[in-house]
Amino acid sequence: MIGSITPYLTLLVAWILQVFCFQYLVMGNGWLLPTFHLYGLILLPLTLSPLALLLICGLTGVLLDLTTMGGGIFTSSALLMGGCIPAVNRILIPREGYETMEQGTLQSHGFQWFSSRALLLLLAHNLWMFSLEAGRWGLMVEGWGKALTSAFFTWGLFLMASYISQSKRRKR
Amino acid sequence: MYNLWRLIVRHQLILTFILCQGFALVWFFSSHGYPRGQWVRASLEVQGTWNEYVSDMSQLTELAHQNEQLLLENAQLRSELLKSKQRNNPLSTESKFANTIVPTEVIRSTAHLSANFIIINSGSDDGVETGQGALHRGFAVAKVVETTANHALLLPLIHTGMEWSARLGKNGPVGRLFWNGKDTQIAHLDDIPRNFAVSPGDTIYTSGFQGIFPPELTFGYATTTAPEQDGEFQRIQITLGAPFQELRYLHIVDDQASEAIELWMNPTP
């Protein structure tokens, strides 16, 4: 079920921002590496089928790799995250369950739920991505450190984006 | 057959995941160390055009035009210098050193990855070809691995998948220079015989054996750290000459000797 177009527009905007802006925002010699396109993926409908989630994540990763010289690393990491999303959603399911086509936004589920979900998924994505990138055991521990700091950095960007979109809605 | 189909349908999610992840990993491992091919060229076009635009915007406040003029002049002077070096070499009867120098600008470079890369705004239309070397203020920095009409992809010294042939001093032994993925200014030189004394500050030159760089260009300098012993050989720590975090302008050099050697090795019938 595809439903409303808003989550897909959000994904498109997040992907464009990553390609044209955030990929240049690498700081601290790689210790703060933003992966903002994941914001679009975590805001996909919570009731979307796991197969559709996996395919959308894979496609997002492929397009990102093709435009940023990633060479498959974003595809692989996004697929892993796509596989983790249903499991994380099940862990964090509220007592009343999810509504059809509901998005996992900060506004609808609160700071704690949003942050737990975003950080779990970001950590899964980043640990896989930085381990692959390290390519050898000697660089693995440093890679995991970078995965952790980059996850928190990207989570901060997610919070900023959420607050910005929230304040725009309030103004309307 | 029906049972197999039912099994596939029942486990479609995990099968799709394994299939897609397999594709992604094959893509990653086949391109991570040495990115070549159609997807790299397509990606270079997209990246190159956008990065050039970003670079132009960031240069609005700088004296970009004057820089380019100086770069061109510098390239001509370097070319003359190399030619005069060749004339002064009594052993050479024809060109042994680089004679093509293309000044170029870096429009994207990474220094935070284990497999770093550089994109420049010159391509095959400007005379840049795969296999050529790149210099920064006279220091050897990278190798061209892929080109399009207007852009080229380079792999720098700070790439864990690359090894470079280097000579300790002008007449010393030749070893393998490599980067271990940590400090962007530190590399290591392996396979230097233990009996060869190394002093801090000794210059590490290109050997010219790989056909990427002409000989006697500088990679960097031996540091004060005591060499690690490994059997009959020692490993020397090197401070690289080029500042990889702030590369801006490069010169692409063409080692003519390598083309002649290629011809000798692959004679046409």
Side-chain angles (χ1 to χ4, degrees):
Chain A
M1 187 172 173
I2 296 299
S4 161
I5 200 167
T6 317
Y8 307 100
L9 278 178
T10 311
L11 176 59
L12 182 69
V13 171
W15 183 87
I16 289 171
L17 283 172
Q18 176 66 24
V19 172
F20 293 110
C21 175
F22 285 109
Q23 67 156 318
Y24 302 99
L25 201 72
V26 180
M27 292 186 282
N29 198 22
W31 285 83
L32 299 174
L33 189 143
T35 44
F36 191 74
H37 62 290
L38 303 181
Y39 184 62
L41 294 178
I42 69 162
L43 290 187
L44 285 171
L46 293 164
T47 51
L48 199 65
S49 82
L51 189 65
L53 261 174
L54 195 67
L55 294 175
I56 292 171
C57 287
L59 186 67
T60 307
V62 168
L63 292 174
L64 193 63
D65 274 322
L66 286 173
T67 46
T68 62
M69 311 286 299
I73 196 164
F74 290 116
T75 309
S76 179
S77 316
L79 278 166
L80 185 93
M81 198 182 102
C84 292
I85 290 175
V88 172
N89 287 351
R90 271 198 301 276
I91 293 169
L92 297 173
I93 193 164
R95 207 174 297 163
E96 63 275 18
Y98 298 118
E99 286 174 27
T100 312
M101 300 314 290
E102 183 185 11
Q103 278 184 285
T105 58
L106 178 68
Q107 293 80 16
S108 57
H109 289 85
F111 178 83
Q112 197 179 345
W113 185 92
F114 177 82
S115 297
S116 310
R117 183 167 176 266
L119 280 171
L120 278 173
L121 293 171
L122 280 170
L123 275 174
H125 177 276
N126 282 7
L127 283 171
W128 182 252
M129 184 175 79
F130 280 93
S131 300
L132 272 182
E133 208 285 317
R136 58 179 70 174
W137 290 110
L139 299 176
M140 211 62 92
V141 177
E142 189 181 314
W144 293 338
K146 287 180 177 178
L148 200 69
T149 50
S150 297
F152 278 99
F153 179 53
T154 309
W155 167 67
L157 292 174
F158 286 3
L159 289 180
M160 277 172 61
S162 294
Y163 283 122
I164 288 167
S165 62
Q166 188 177 26
S167 64
K168 274 187 178 171
R169 275 182 205 154
R170 273 185 193 160
K171 274 180 190 170
R172 277 182 211 153
Chain B
M1 190 67 192
Y2 178 70
N3 283 344
L4 179 70
W5 178 246
R6 276 185 59 189
L7 194 75
I8 290 171
V9 170
R10 187 184 294 173
H11 298 289
Q12 56 176 325
L13 184 64
I14 190 78
L15 287 174
T16 311
F17 178 79
I18 291 169
L19 200 72
C20 294
Q21 192 62 261
F23 156 78
L25 290 175
V26 167
W27 183 12
F28 175 75
F29 287 114
S30 63
S31 66
H32 192 59
Y34 207 82
R36 293 293 308 270
Q38 192 58 45
W39 80 266
V40 175
R41 282 194 288 275
S43 193
L44 255 180
E45 282 295 336
V46 178
Q47 276 271 293
T49 311
W50 172 250
N51 286 324
E52 209 160 344
Y53 178 71
V54 171
S55 179
D56 286 349
M57 292 289 283
S58 66
Q59 279 190 8
L60 278 177
T61 53
E62 295 178 32
L63 303 170
H65 181 68
Q66 281 88 335
N67 269 340
E68 278 169 22
Q69 291 299 313
L70 282 170
L71 190 70
L72 278 170
E73 198 179 321
N74 198 11
Q76 282 164 0
L77 288 169
R78 277 188 195 283
S79 191
E80 286 301 315
L81 180 71
L82 287 170
K83 279 176 185 166
S84 80
K85 222 179 188 182
Q86 164 211 323
R87 279 194 293 272
N88 293 336
N89 187 343
L91 295 174
S92 71
T93 51
E94 55 186 40
S95 177
K96 282 173 72 177
F97 293 96
N99 70 345
T100 306
I101 295 190
V102 181
T104 186
E105 189 187 349
V106 174
I107 51 174
R108 177 92 205 272
S109 72
T110 62
H112 62 276
L113 304 171
S114 62
N116 291 299
F117 63 87
I118 297 169
I119 299 175
I120 55 171
N121 70 350
S122 305
S124 50
D125 285 357
D126 307 290
V128 178
E129 292 171 19
T130 55
Q132 291 177 332
L135 309 180
H136 178 267
R137 293 180 191 154
F139 290 106
V141 289
K143 174 189 179 180
V144 179
V145 292
E146 193 61 85
T147 59
T148 61
N150 301 308
H151 302 100
L153 175 71
L154 283 68
L155 298 188
L157 301 185
I158 53 165
H159 186 294
T160 51
M162 300 289 283
E163 288 189 346
W164 312 79
S165 176
R167 190 184 290 279
L168 182 57
K170 284 197 174 176
N171 301 307
V174 173
R176 286 182 302 121
L177 188 147
F178 66 95
W179 182 59
N180 67 3
K182 292 176 180 169
D183 191 328
T184 55
Q185 286 312 116
I186 303 291
H188 293 90
L189 183 63
D190 255 2
D191 299 343
I192 300 298
R194 272 179 74 167
N195 59 0
F196 199 89
V198 183
S199 306
D202 278 356
T203 309
I204 313 299
Y205 292 104
T206 56
S207 70
F209 291 171
Q210 282 177 306
I212 303 167
F213 300 106
E216 295 182 18
L217 293 173
T218 308
F219 276 125
Y221 307 97
T223 61
T224 50
T225 313
E228 293 173 36
Q229 311 287 335
D230 179 20
E232 292 300 307
F233 299 98
Q234 57 184 327
R235 173 177 291 182
I236 299 158
Q237 188 172 298
I238 299 162
T239 301
L240 295 170
F244 284 93
Q245 303 224 350
E246 50 197 66
L247 294 178
R248 186 69 180 272
Y249 296 106
L250 300 179
H251 292 110
I252 304 295
V253 293
D254 182 23
D255 186 12
Q256 269 213 329
S258 70
E259 288 166 23
I261 291 165
E262 282 287 322
L263 274 176
W264 296 334
M265 289 173 75
N266 303 305
T268 46

